């Protein structure tokens, strides 16, 4: 096994952790954020707008909160990954 492949193989559990944790955290954040989104992130119909009915917005907020939180947690959980290039952090955020 080449040294690069060995290093990336050790990276797989961290990617699995980021995927599972971000999925669970996103699912946990959605119910408490629904009332806030209905109150503050709803596009209301106007004369110049295209919406005929109130349309919810901001659905990506729980996903972004979870992705950033899990990426930071994965970086703290696996400090040996820190010396890797910036691509390690990009892949962690991408997995989240």
């Amino acid at each position: 096994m080449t040294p690069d492949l060995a290093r990336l193989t050790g990276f797989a559990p961290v990617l699995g952790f980021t995927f599972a944790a971000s999925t669970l955290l996103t699912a946990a954040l959605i119910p408490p954020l629904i009332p806030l989104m209905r109150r503050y992130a709803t596009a209301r119909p106007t004369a110049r707008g295209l919406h005929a009915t109130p349309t919810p917005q901001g659905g990506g907020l729980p996903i972004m909160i979870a992705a950033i939180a899990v990426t930071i947690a994965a970086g703290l959980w696996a400090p040996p990954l820190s010396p890797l290039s910036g691509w390690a952090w990009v892949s962690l955020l991408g997995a989240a």
Side-chain angles (χ1 to χ4, degrees):
M1 190 180 298
T2 64
D4 290 336
L5 184 58
R7 187 169 63 178
L8 291 176
T9 303
F11 192 55
V14 178
L15 289 177
F17 164 78
T18 58
F19 176 76
S22 64
T23 300
L24 293 173
L25 186 58
T26 299
L29 284 173
I30 290 173
L33 288 177
I34 286 176
L36 292 172
M37 293 298 168
R38 284 189 179 143
R39 179 181 235 177
Y40 298 111
T42 301
R44 306 228 187 317
T46 62
R48 295 185 59 196
L50 296 175
H51 301 292
T53 60
T55 305
Q57 297 177 331
L61 185 62
I63 297 169
M64 289 307 301
I65 291 171
I68 292 169
V70 169
T71 301
I72 291 169
L76 296 174
W77 176 58
L81 295 176
S82 299
L84 291 177
S85 69
W87 289 108
W89 294 107
V90 169
S91 63
L92 278 175
L93 190 57

